[in-house]
Amino acid sequence: MMKLLVLAALVAVTLANDSYVVVAPSKVRPGMEFSVSVNILKATSDVTVTTALFRTNDNSQIASSTTTLQQGAPKTVDLQVPEDIRSGSYELHVSGAGGLTFTNKTNIAFSSKAKSVLVQTDKAMYKPGQTVNFRVLAVHPDLSLYKGNMDIDIYDANSNKIKQW
């Protein structure tokens, strides 16, 4: 049954007069690139594709880019999201003109996550009284290392603070 469904989908794409695929993240983060992948599957000629990110509260454009694509040559369009965007509703607009005309909109969630903290210990299990050796790394969403100061607090199972650096 699954093979038949996949075959039907492939035949539909092959027989379609004009078709395209757009793939984008579901979340936008301040200061990060927002990469949108576009593939023109079938078109009569080159297609000019415009991608734009809008804040829906006030319909203001946050970032945009225009590029030309050829049929069968996928391309990634990078939108640079400003550092100062704030929480709210966002929408991605993708449109094509030329050999294929289309317009597509989708809602994008805002994620304010700025850093991830990774904690590594020298052993998986400890016995009472053993020294715990550890290191802490903080990374930005693009995995570049955070080089600023950090406060580290160690708590026991009863939420009592044991140590602070």
Side-chain angles (χ1 to χ4, degrees), residues 36-54:
V36 180
S37 178
V38 182
N39 191 1
I40 305 300
L41 301 174
K42 240 179 187 187
T44 56
S45 64
D46 290 355
V47 180
T48 301
V49 176
T50 302
T51 56
L53 188 63
F54 287 89

Side-chain angles (χ1 to χ4, degrees), residues 12-22 38-44 47 70-72 99-102:
V13 167
T14 304
L15 296 176
N17 289 336
D18 297 324
S19 58
Y20 65 96
V21 175
V22 176
V38 182
N39 191 1
I40 305 300
L41 301 174
K42 240 179 187 187
T44 56
V47 180
Q70 296 176 339
Q71 177 178 314
L100 173 62
T101 303
F102 64 90

Side-chain angles (χ1 to χ4, degrees), residues 84-127:
D84 62 348
I85 68 167
R86 51 190 191 275
S87 181
S89 299
Y90 292 87
E91 198 171 63
L92 176 66
H93 296 205
V94 181
S95 61
L100 173 62
T101 303
F102 64 90
T103 301
N104 201 340
K105 297 179 186 179
T106 188
N107 291 326
I108 304 294
F110 176 83
S111 177
S112 63
K113 181 178 177 180
K115 294 172 195 67
S116 294
V117 177
L118 309 171
V119 179
Q120 183 180 27
T121 59
D122 63 332
K123 294 187 214 176
M125 299 286 289
Y126 293 92
K127 294 180 181 172

Side-chain angles (χ1 to χ4, degrees), residues 124-142:
M125 299 286 289
Y126 293 92
K127 294 180 181 172
Q130 284 186 315
T131 300
V132 177
N133 295 309
F134 66 93
R135 66 176 161 185
V136 178
L137 300 172
V139 293
H140 296 282
D142 66 355

Side-chain angles (χ1 to χ4, degrees), residues 16-77:
N17 289 336
D18 297 324
S19 58
Y20 65 96
V21 175
V22 176
V23 179
S26 61
K27 294 181 181 174
V28 62
R29 289 190 171 131
M32 295 295 299
E33 275 189 352
F34 188 83
S35 297
V36 180
S37 178
V38 182
N39 191 1
I40 305 300
L41 301 174
K42 240 179 187 187
T44 56
S45 64
D46 290 355
V47 180
T48 301
V49 176
T50 302
T51 56
L53 188 63
F54 287 89
R55 184 182 5 262
T56 55
N57 305 16
D58 56 3
N59 204 30
S60 62
Q61 183 173 301
I62 303 303
S64 70
S65 180
T66 300
T67 189
T68 302
L69 280 90
Q70 296 176 339
Q71 177 178 314
K75 195 178 242 185
T76 300
V77 179

